[in-house]
Amino acid sequence: MSADLLRELAPKVLAAVTRRYGHFDEAEDATQEALLAASTQWPAEGVPDNPRGWLIRVASRRLIDHLRSEQSRLRRETALAAQVPPADWLAPPADIGDTPSDDTLTLLFLCCHPALTAASQIALTLRAVGGLTTAEIAHALLVPEATLAQRISRAKQRIKDAGARFEPPTPDDYDRRLRAVLHVLYLIFNEGHTASSGVALQRTDLAAEAIRLARTLHQARPDDAEAAGLLALLLLTDARRAARTGPSGELVPLAEQDRGRWDRRLIHQGITLLTAALARRRPGPYQIQAAIAAAHDQAARAEDTDWRHILNLYDMLQRLDDTPVVTLNRAVATAMVHGPRAGLALLETLDSDPRMTGNHRLAAVRAHLLDQAGDHQAAAAQYHAAAQQTASVPEREYLLRQARLASR
């Protein structure tokens, strides 16, 4: 039995149970119990002919049992009976069709409810839509399982307290909520692409899950340019995954990567998506970031990179999404076009930004530009500072290695 099958079915089952009975929080627990039952029974008994119907039946029974066991059983069952036709209490027939394609999108919007913090949105999305267990999410995010379980529990309670229901957002809410969904998928991918802590540079399971969910979102909303832009960005970035680490898992910077190891199939997919999205003439931050990634991917050698074009793209991105991270990356592009001192001058604008306090990337970029400018001792000091600020072992080892080279 493939774990991919359960992950694919998880949001469909949760959507069916939630739409039928309401109670998203209890329905999510019941769905997880059904997935766990499948993971233990199917390997021994075989996958049923209709795995989705099997999971819905098991989840429905668990949910009903849970509702009946609560102290408020009579009141809740009366309300539920009034809400749901008697025939709907039965398990769905084996030949029932798939749920509407918007179900997964509705779940994504629900998990990214504005009442939740970004950390809670990520955790709930990975569990409810991604089908990952609490233990798997805790392991991927390097968070104690008990802490992660509490985070998910609080998230579901906040959704309940906010009165959110399992239904697509209204047109007025769509743009704002879609932005949150895109941001959560972007954050999940970033944590998979470059882990914030631990001994591994990448967590491929998280990156793969973010791409899968971004594909699902794009399929549900094929006309949304930013949804396509996000998917293109993830594909174009993930295409370099194999070349980003060396034989011992050490970090290999972009300029030194073996570009023959880049995944040309993903690059082609990403550029095709990006081209179609840009043709809609509704540019957004993810489309522009994807265009930057495409400019890197299309350079046969590092020295062939069109940095002037990339700088122009960063100028556009800064106007649309004026964040310190954009400024940081723009400083690198500025240095490549106008020299390291110009890039260093731009970095000075970030020194007083509280959002960059303790961020090792500011010190790392400053070290790189100082080294290019010939100030090697100052560069070594900044490399050491950056190494002390990161919890990623591969990044720390790379920064310390660069500090040694700059000190020679």
Side-chain angles (χ1 to χ4, degrees):
M1 181 198 67
S2 171
D4 291 341
L5 175 61
L6 290 181
R7 289 189 181 183
E8 178 185 348
L9 291 173
K12 298 178 181 178
V13 173
L14 175 56
V17 175
T18 305
R19 187 173 55 250
R20 173 161 293 180
Y21 303 115
H23 308 289
F24 168 76
D25 48 346
E26 289 95 342
E28 201 280 323
D29 287 336
T31 299
Q32 287 292 323
E33 291 181 25
L35 293 171
L36 179 60
S39 68
T40 57
Q41 294 182 36
W42 290 2
E45 302 174 4
V47 179
D49 293 337
N50 183 2
R52 176 175 165 274
W54 189 97
L55 288 167
I56 291 175
R57 284 194 294 275
V58 173
S60 296
R61 290 168 185 161
R62 300 290 171 88
L63 175 59
I64 293 170
D65 288 344
H66 176 71
L67 293 176
R68 286 174 173 165
S69 68
E70 294 185 350
Q71 293 181 352
S72 58
R73 173 177 57 85
L74 291 178
R75 183 174 65 255
R76 297 183 69 171
E77 285 189 351
T78 300
L80 192 60
Q83 174 185 344
V84 181
D88 281 355
W89 281 88
L90 301 175
D95 60 351
I96 188 171
D98 286 341
T99 55
S101 60
D102 280 356
D103 276 353
T104 297
L105 183 63
T106 300
L107 277 176
L108 277 170
F109 275 78
L110 189 61
C111 292
C112 297
H113 193 279
L116 305 181
T117 64
S120 295
Q121 291 173 339
I122 290 171
L124 193 56
T125 297
L126 287 173
R127 178 161 146 152
V129 189
L132 277 67
T133 66
T134 301
E136 288 172 331
I137 301 169
H139 176 74
L141 299 179
L142 295 184
V143 174
E145 186 172 349
T147 301
L148 197 283
Q150 291 175 353
R151 184 179 299 172
I152 291 175
S153 178
R154 286 195 298 267
K156 291 191 291 186
Q157 185 60 47
R158 284 176 182 157
I159 286 177
K160 185 175 182 180
D161 292 344
R165 301 180 62 183
F166 180 74
E167 57 188 16
T170 64
D172 290 341
D173 287 341
Y174 180 82
D175 288 339
R176 179 170 57 90
R177 295 285 291 278
L178 178 64
R179 183 177 179 85
V181 170
L182 294 174
H183 184 59
V184 165
L185 298 185
Y186 179 70
L187 291 176
I188 292 172
F189 177 83
N190 281 349
E191 183 61 28
H193 180 67
T194 303
S196 57
S197 59
V199 297
L201 178 68
Q202 306 177 94
R203 295 176 189 154
T204 56
D205 55 343
L206 279 182
E209 188 59 26
I211 290 173
R212 186 184 74 83
L213 294 177
R215 286 189 189 278
T216 301
L217 179 61
H218 173 60
Q219 290 168 359
R221 286 292 183 269
D223 294 333
D224 192 290
E226 273 292 81
L230 175 66
L231 178 56
L233 171 62
L234 303 193
L235 295 175
L236 291 165
T237 305
D238 196 56
R240 308 180 209 129
R241 172 164 37 94
R244 295 184 65 235
T245 53
S248 301
E250 68 273 18
L251 184 155
V252 180
L254 180 62
E256 299 174 18
Q257 289 175 15
D258 177 0
R259 301 187 177 215
R261 299 183 65 194
W262 288 1
D263 191 327
R264 296 294 161 184
R265 179 183 59 87
L266 290 183
I267 292 173
H268 176 72
Q269 289 181 14
I271 291 176
T272 300
L273 278 165
L274 176 61
T275 301
L278 292 174
R280 298 184 182 280
R281 300 188 180 279
R282 295 195 299 270
Y286 294 113
Q287 295 170 70
I288 296 175
Q289 289 183 71
I292 294 169
H296 284 294
D297 288 359
Q298 290 177 305
R301 302 173 303 166
E303 53 266 36
D304 296 331
T305 305
D306 188 348
W307 282 105
R308 191 169 296 278
H309 174 56
I310 289 174
L311 179 56
N312 289 335
L313 290 170
Y314 272 120
D315 289 342
M316 294 173 58
L317 183 59
Q318 191 93 62
R319 290 193 291 270
L320 289 175
D321 189 26
D322 188 11
T323 67
V325 174
V326 173
T327 303
L328 188 68
N329 290 321
R330 183 165 156 253
V332 175
T334 298
M336 296 302 293
V337 175
H338 301 296
R341 292 297 175 187
L344 287 166
L346 188 54
L347 288 183
E348 291 179 2
T349 65
L350 297 176
D351 289 337
S352 60
D353 193 321
R355 293 171 294 179
M356 296 302 291
T357 301
N359 189 314
H360 73 283
R361 301 194 191 284
L362 176 57
V365 171
R366 177 173 279 121
H368 175 66
L369 298 187
L370 285 168
D371 208 14
Q372 286 188 330
D375 194 346
H376 304 302
Q377 291 304 312
Q382 287 295 311
Y383 276 128
H384 277 292
Q388 293 175 349
Q389 291 172 333
T390 181
S392 166
V393 174
E395 285 192 315
R396 183 185 307 125
E397 291 177 347
Y398 171 78
L399 292 166
L400 292 175
R401 188 164 62 250
Q402 294 301 110
R404 291 192 294 271
L405 291 172
S407 298
R408 292 178 181 175

